[in-house]
Amino acid sequence: MDINYLQSFITVVEAGSFAEAARRLDLTSAAVAARIKALEDDMGVELVRRSGRSVKPTASGMRIIESTRSVVRQIRDMRAMAMDRNNQGELRLGCFVSAMTNILPPILKRLYDIYPEASVFVTPGASIELCRKVAAGELDAAIVVEPQFAVAKHCVWQKFMEEPLLVIAPAHMLGRNAHDVLTSEPFLRYDRSVYGGQLADRYLRDHDLHPRQRLEINSLSSIAVMVHEGLGVSLVPDWSAMWQSLDIIQIPLPGRTLVRRNGLVWNQHGHHARLAACIHEQARAVFGTGNAGP
């Protein structure tokens, strides 16, 4: 039984569709569907069932999903330990999606400078879901936006990065006032279902600003490119590293603004607690925020 097929089954169940699972696995939807079909043929039961555009696990699929997760974890740990007798298995690290390109790489670079033989499996996802997985033992640690709830007692969350809200706009708007830009130009809203978008929405309401919304999207990189293309302006957490190659400007907000905090959550009693703490230490060294308080 191919571990890739098992991982595809897990991802389909978590994503709720073949299309989203394919995006997460960097495969085509047809390839994911073929893997699931092969797994079903091997086991002799139907594991998932289409319902419109969504996919849901069958009763058989629900009965084996946790065992499947456990098997995949054990196989990865065995592979990691087989490569090095001193290796204690694979670190399962979650990372919120927009941090995959500019936060995760420099952290891992410093980690591998210290532990060149470390084996890490990275899972992208939403911060809330990643926190749940760490608490449930499905992940050892996760890079997440500050949880707006108390983490599990056996877990700890510590920040390593702060991102104040600011306005991003096409370069030709240099010199204009942030509030004027927000209320007079087409507005590209950061999705209010995620914490950064909620902060932006709170700022607009607190200052009685009513932008002319053009669209709402959950992708900071897409918003930045759209601003570069002249489609509008936006109010987002400071994600400067992603904008350096784009023809856009940052306009600071007047006075004190709201801040999004990013950090690491990990199981402080887990098998990889020491390695997780090292990841946080390296993140602090890269991004410069040290303590865990607000």
Side-chain angles (χ1 to χ4, degrees), residues 32-149:
V32 173
R35 286 184 175 186
I36 299 301
K37 180 64 167 58
L39 186 61
E40 290 175 330
D41 290 345
D42 189 23
M43 302 192 72
V45 294
E46 184 183 29
L47 297 175
V48 298
R49 185 171 297 149
R50 291 181 183 271
S51 177
R53 294 185 178 180
S54 64
V55 177
K56 296 182 178 180
T58 63
S60 296
M62 288 297 295
R63 282 195 292 269
I64 70 165
I65 185 63
E66 290 304 323
S67 296
T68 305
R69 290 189 176 107
S70 178
V71 167
V72 169
R73 288 197 298 268
Q74 290 174 17
I75 292 174
R76 289 195 176 115
D77 279 350
M78 284 191 294
R79 286 177 175 174
M81 287 185 285
M83 293 176 64
D84 184 347
R85 63 187 178 86
N86 295 317
N87 197 306
Q88 297 185 5
E90 183 178 67
L91 174 77
R92 301 180 297 275
L93 178 66
C95 183
F96 70 97
V97 176
S98 58
M100 293 285 286
T101 55
N102 69 330
I103 290 182
L104 181 63
I107 294 174
L108 290 183
K109 184 179 186 302
R110 292 183 65 98
L111 177 70
Y112 285 124
D113 286 343
I114 301 171
Y115 296 103
E117 302 301 322
S119 178
V120 181
F121 179 80
V122 178
T123 298
S127 292
I128 292 176
E129 180 64 12
L130 294 176
C131 287
R132 183 198 67 77
K133 288 185 176 183
V134 173
E138 297 172 30
L139 294 173
D140 299 301
I143 296 169
V144 296
V145 175
E146 181 179 15
Q148 300 305 295
F149 49 84

